[in-house]
Amino acid sequence: MPPGPTWLQIWLEAGREGRIFTYANPLGLPLASGDLVRLKLRGRRHVGLVVEGLERLPPELDPDRLQPVEGLHQSAAVDPHWRALLSEVAADCHTSLFKTLKTALPPGWLGQRPERQGGPARNRWLVELTPGADATGPSSSALTPRQQSLLELLEQRGGRAWLSTLTTAERFSRSVVEGLERQGQLRRRAVAAGSAEFMTLQAAGVAAVDGTAGTLEPPQAPSAAQRQALERLAATPPGGALLLWGVTGSGKTEVYLQACALALAEGQSALVLTPEIGLVPQLLDRFKARFASSIVEYHSGLSEAQRIASWRRCLEADRAQPVVVVGTRSAVFLPLRDLALIVLDEEHDSSYKQDAPMPCYHARDVARHRARRSGARLLLGSATPSLETWLACQQSGPGATALVRLPERIGQRPLPPVRVVDMRQELAEGHRRLISRPLMERLERLREQGEQAVVLVPRRGYSSFLSCRSCGEVVQCPHCDVALTVHRSVRSGDWLRCHWCDHRQDIEPRCGACGSTAFKPFGAGTQRVMEQLSNELEDLRVLRFDRDTTRGQGGHRRLLEQFAAGEADVLVGTQMLAKGMDLPAVTLAAVLAADGLLHRPDLRSSEQSLQLLLQLAGRAGRGERAGEVLVQTYCPDHAVIRHLVDGRYERFLEQELEIRRQAGLVPFSRAALLRLVGVSASATATAATTLAERIAPQVLSAGWVMVGPAPAPITRVAGRSRWQLLLHGPSGSPLPLPPEAELRQGLPKGVGLAIDPDPLEL
Ligand code: ADP
Ligand code: ZN
Ligand code: ZN
């Protein structure tokens, strides 16, 4: 290792926001951004985060007065690629390296207690059975079941394993290990990474034994199309990208699995990103069944300690013990060396975009940078690719994205036909129910046929809003500029709730505007649809799948398992229904009130609603029996509905691109959004105006246009005022803005600023 930097900028958790201090590095420790170091501040011990190394000191600092760092606490930076990646993201997102580091590192990383672990060499804890101690002997009755199974596992594995493997892949808590240590059943010792003993252990197969425990699910024999996809991936140059465009059920996941297996076989790691882990437990299950303890999870369903453990396992991964990470957005920053492959499943999904806090990054862009820097290949998978990725496939040259298709479902199962129910017609014929006659007929026969249905309702709760019958006043949230949603509970009747700030209240007996006592609920939520279904079809067993019924860890999984086990005939749910579920008995996918999805005033509204509807359609007919999609709408002629019926998504992309080209919209131009938030409405408005005046000269002279400042579409949320400034400029041109810190300087206290360099919603 080269000697470390002479000076270090270090962030310390002093005060509410923390502060950056400059320290000396007299020992020449090889430190870099992301490392945690031990040091003293005003005589007290701290752990600080290295933000940057400096070779030259700013003139105002006196080198003789700087305190030294005392040692490394935890190393985070694995290679120069990783740090360069963070700097690139910081620059792209117009924010500091420090903020980017904070987003990249696991939550709780900075609050850790110092460990007894010295020197810059990383240690790994090896857990060994104590020779001579007998786990099955008479004293074993004193063991807990977890302790018993840990000992059995160690015996199966030749008596030893890395502690990190036991606590992450095998999910033993440290207290189980420590308990056994106290009883003398096993012992734990540190092995310096890279030491001779470490290498001998690796060679002796401690790693290999870790990786092959249990029975693994064998790969499927790939179809011709899948084989072609794998060949195309292998032919993609390192650092390049490939779009795997396959209809739902065409075997994309199997391609990811086999591509990961190839990476592992070469001693390299793979990173698999998925929009949401809670919603698609099946994806994680399939990866675990295939790769067992080589899998590292990283998502918000894990505790802070588990996330830190996952981070450490990534640091420890090497050619002898490569890993497959399965995680959500922020997993794109995990510190992996020897990275061969990045998979972005459902690459079009908007949850890859972080809106707040800064950096407002898109995991797809970060993954592109990362693949390029580390020579990995990027595999983007989708049934409904984003316009951006599809456009990248049209380009030629070395940076272009390659394209390979999986045109058919596995087993040549047909894609389900789409039937549109014109709700205007239903109304004209005197049927004013939420559930149309054609849908009712299908649901009536469902149970006797042993089939299942999913029904999408865009909103949760009982009804969308409550209004006064006399004056039309809609009951609003006291903290936000939105209507309150009606929820119904068996015990306490109807009550109101805000879906933006979670405010809850009872229904007032009288209208606040006119004093009338008559209210009427409008718009149907999941609860109301369930109620109607149960009233009209008594035999039908219905389950609800939305944020209210899936709270808590494993909530999604529990409901999906109930449904998969046939405990219900119909699953009524919100958008989350459309994601990833693969259930062979589902033959019907229905959408009530598709109109709720179609009419959002947003650049990407058509694209996103068509993606959602096609994804939902993909849930039907995945098994032996043919499926059908049924869409209820008042606008059967809407372009999105027409493209849904045609099933020609590519045609939609062509038209959408043409519309944007003619209007000069993104991606034919570039947009950036400055968002201001503050408790005081007037202070926020003034700050927005002042900021606009301040940046106007630079923005205009760069040939950009400024729209606003204006209040955000929903101006008040959770009692805070929101203003925005939209900047529009030529595509590919840099943001015409001073550095973030300078922008912030002129803002009054209490007004926050976020810069989004490429907002998804405009
Ligand atoms: P997608 O990710 O495109 O929705 P999946 O990979 O989940 O598709 O495949 C759909 C179904 O087909 C799954 O049940 C999967 O196990 C099965 N499958 C995938 N590839 C094969 C194959 N080569 N042979 C047999 N079955 C397969
Ligand atoms: Zn009224
Ligand atoms: Zn609210």
Side-chain angles (χ1 to χ4, degrees):
M1 278 232 192
T6 323
W7 316 105
L8 296 160
Q9 297 230 281
I10 294 178
W11 184 86
L12 284 176
E13 221 166 34
R16 204 156 46 90
E17 276 279 286
R19 257 184 70 192
I20 293 177
F21 297 88
T22 307
Y23 273 76
N25 183 17
L27 302 176
L29 299 171
L31 297 168
S33 342
D35 289 340
L36 296 185
V37 288
R38 293 191 303 268
L39 41 75
K40 284 198 190 119
L41 177 69
R42 295 182 202 108
R44 289 187 56 192
R45 294 199 164 279
H46 280 269
V47 168
L49 170 71
V50 177
V51 178
E52 233 168 345
L54 301 176
E55 279 319 320
R56 215 172 304 141
L57 210 55
E60 68 274 17
L61 290 179
D62 175 1
D64 296 332
R65 303 195 56 178
L66 294 184
Q67 298 273 316
V69 295
E70 293 177 350
L72 177 75
H73 170 57
Q74 172 74 57
S75 143
V78 279
D79 60 14
H81 292 313
W82 186 78
R83 295 192 296 272
L85 175 78
L86 295 192
S87 303
E88 189 170 14
V89 173
D92 275 5
C93 295
H94 210 83
T95 189
S96 62
L97 178 61
F98 168 63
K99 285 210 173 94
T100 312
L101 267 170
K102 263 188 114 174
T103 288
L105 296 172
W109 176 263
L110 292 166
Q112 295 176 85
R113 276 209 316 263
E115 253 177 52
R116 279 168 291 134
Q117 184 184 351
R122 277 186 294 120
N123 285 333
R124 293 196 65 184
W125 290 106
L126 186 73
V127 175
E128 294 174 303
L129 286 176
T130 314
D134 186 359
T136 50
S139 65
S140 66
S141 56
L143 299 176
T144 67
R146 283 302 276 168
Q147 289 176 332
Q148 190 78 45
S149 60
L150 175 54
L151 290 177
E152 280 163 16
L153 185 91
L154 282 173
E155 272 174 9
Q156 280 166 23
R157 297 186 180 191
R160 58 198 174 186
W162 297 117
L163 178 63
S164 56
T165 310
L166 297 175
T167 52
T168 55
E170 303 296 340
R171 293 176 177 274
F172 285 100
S173 71
R174 271 173 183 261
S175 65
V176 174
V177 178
E178 283 159 10
L180 286 167
E181 219 177 343
R182 277 195 298 274
Q183 296 180 36
Q185 295 281 1
L186 49 81
R187 61 185 188 195
R188 177 165 51 147
R189 63 193 172 85
V191 179
S195 66
E197 187 190 9
F198 179 80
M199 300 315 239
T200 319
L201 281 168
Q202 294 281 30
V206 172
V209 176
D210 284 350
T212 54
T215 45
L216 300 183
E217 186 197 276
Q220 310 260 17
S223 67
Q226 284 171 329
R227 203 169 322 115
Q228 201 202 354
L230 287 163
E231 282 163 9
R232 286 296 297 280
L233 181 65
T236 303
L242 174 69
L243 169 63
L244 177 63
W245 188 339
V247 295
T248 46
S250 59
K252 293 186 293 298
T253 310
E254 185 63 36
V255 172
Y256 308 154
L257 286 163
Q258 301 206 9
C260 288
L262 288 172
L264 286 181
E266 299 277 310
Q268 293 189 291
S269 293
L271 185 53
V272 179
L273 300 181
T274 165
E276 288 257 15
I277 287 216
L279 295 183
V280 271
Q282 282 175 340
L283 182 90
L284 188 57
D285 292 351
R286 281 173 74 182
F287 272 83
K288 282 187 176 164
R290 196 68 61 89
F291 300 116
S293 57
S294 299
I295 293 291
V296 176
E297 284 179 56
Y298 194 81
H299 50 87
S300 57
L302 300 181
S303 67
E304 283 187 358
Q306 286 171 321
R307 280 205 190 191
I308 291 173
S310 291
W311 184 276
R312 291 219 171 100
R313 266 199 81 200
C314 288
L315 284 176
E316 287 166 3
D318 53 23
R319 288 196 161 262
Q321 200 174 5
V323 293
V324 174
V325 175
V326 180
T328 44
R329 184 170 73 207
S330 62
V332 75
F333 293 114
L334 282 170
L336 290 160
R337 274 167 300 211
D338 300 321
L339 183 63
L341 175 71
I342 306 176
V343 174
L344 227 82
D345 185 29
E346 310 289 3
E347 67 86 26
H348 61 275
D349 198 291
S350 58
S351 37
Y352 284 124
K353 178 71 202 285
Q354 170 150 313
D355 290 327
M358 288 178 79
C360 306
Y361 69 96
H362 197 303
R364 193 202 302 130
D365 299 331
V366 180
R368 274 188 190 278
H369 289 322
R370 186 156 195 188
R372 192 167 30 72
R373 288 190 174 277
S374 57
R377 295 183 172 88
L378 174 61
L379 181 58
L380 302 159
S382 179
T384 50
S386 63
L387 192 75
E388 286 82 0
T389 298
W390 182 72
L391 192 62
C393 293
Q394 323 281 305
Q395 273 139 16
S396 51
T401 299
L403 167 64
V404 65
R405 295 176 202 251
L406 297 179
E408 283 177 349
R409 281 187 163 185
I410 293 288
Q412 272 90 49
R413 286 180 195 119
L415 279 174
V418 179
R419 196 159 132 203
V420 178
V421 180
D422 186 345
M423 293 303 276
R424 295 172 306 189
Q425 194 68 25
E426 283 283 296
L427 204 60
E429 291 170 20
H431 293 268
R432 357 184 77 245
R433 299 234 169 79
L434 282 173
I435 298 151
S436 64
R437 288 167 296 170
L439 179 54
M440 213 43 145
E441 279 162 27
R442 274 287 295 184
L443 293 174
E444 270 166 8
R445 284 176 288 129
L446 204 62
R447 187 161 183 190
E448 71 196 43
Q449 289 170 336
E451 296 175 3
Q452 290 180 309
V454 293
V455 176
L456 183 133
V457 182
R459 186 180 287 269
R460 70 194 156 99
Y462 187 77
S463 60
S464 308
F465 60 93
L466 193 65
S467 81
C468 168
R469 282 180 194 269
S470 310
C471 74
E473 177 91 354
V474 172
V475 184
Q476 300 270 329
C477 174
H479 313 294
C480 311
D481 292 336
V482 296
L484 290 169
T485 305
V486 185
H487 283 247
R488 177 162 290 187
S489 79
V490 185
R491 270 171 296 133
S492 46
D494 287 357
W495 51 286
L496 298 170
R497 178 165 179 183
C498 175
H499 285 187
W500 286 73
C501 73
D502 218 30
H503 166 82
R504 295 144 195 246
Q505 69 178 55
D506 289 332
I507 296 176
E508 301 285 336
R510 289 180 179 281
C511 167
C514 74
S516 155
T517 53
F519 292 103
K520 187 172 162 53
F522 278 91
T526 45
Q527 284 188 311
R528 190 163 179 185
V529 171
M530 271 200 56
E531 187 182 275
Q532 291 228 348
L533 281 175
S534 313
N535 286 348
E536 304 209 9
L537 300 169
E538 277 175 16
D539 285 345
L540 202 70
R541 297 162 308 161
V542 189
L543 272 178
R544 178 155 65 98
F545 187 64
D546 59 24
R547 276 227 327 257
D548 297 327
T549 61
T550 54
R551 276 173 209 276
Q553 253 207 350
H556 298 93
R557 180 185 286 270
R558 201 184 57 245
L559 261 171
L560 285 177
E561 279 172 358
Q562 268 178 283
F563 188 55
E567 286 175 30
D569 311 298
V570 179
L571 195 60
V572 171
T574 47
Q575 275 80 332
M576 58 172 76
L577 264 186
K579 305 217 171 180
M581 129 192 11
D582 181 12
L583 300 173
V586 174
T587 55
L588 174 67
V591 190
L592 299 192
D595 310 74
L597 303 168
L598 303 178
H599 305 296
R600 285 180 303 124
D602 189 72
L603 176 67
R604 291 180 174 84
S605 147
S606 294
E607 185 184 342
Q608 285 174 351
S609 48
L610 185 55
Q611 285 164 347
L612 174 70
L613 291 171
L614 283 167
Q615 208 167 14
L616 182 82
R619 301 307 117 215
R622 293 171 78 96
E624 296 295 322
R625 295 192 210 178
E628 187 188 13
V629 181
L630 206 146
V631 182
Q632 298 189 173
T633 175
Y634 288 93
C635 310
D637 298 325
H638 194 285
V640 167
I641 302 291
R642 287 208 322 271
H643 285 293
L644 178 68
V645 173
D646 293 349
R648 289 195 308 187
Y649 182 71
E650 194 159 4
R651 184 93 191 88
F652 163 79
L653 287 178
E654 282 165 14
Q655 291 182 4
E656 181 72 14
L657 198 68
E658 199 42 46
I659 292 172
R660 298 218 204 151
R661 190 196 308 275
Q662 280 170 15
L665 296 169
V666 178
F668 299 99
S669 61
R670 184 172 179 195
L673 200 60
L674 272 55
R675 301 195 192 91
L676 291 118
V677 183
V679 176
S680 152
S682 60
T684 313
T686 313
T689 315
T690 320
L691 185 70
E693 282 165 5
R694 205 144 52 86
I695 63 173
Q698 191 182 346
V699 169
L700 301 181
S701 70
W704 282 56
V705 180
M706 188 156 71
V707 186
I714 297 177
T715 309
R716 211 165 44 106
V717 171
R720 285 144 71 91
S721 257
R722 310 189 312 162
W723 280 68
Q724 62 187 37
L725 253 171
L726 179 65
L727 307 181
H728 230 115
S731 68
S733 61
L735 286 188
L737 291 175
E740 184 202 352
E742 204 174 300
L743 275 176
R744 259 175 222 290
Q745 262 163 22
L747 293 177
K749 257 210 167 88
V751 177
L753 169 72
I755 304 159
D756 192 332
D758 184 18
L760 267 193
E761 287 179 21
L762 285 174

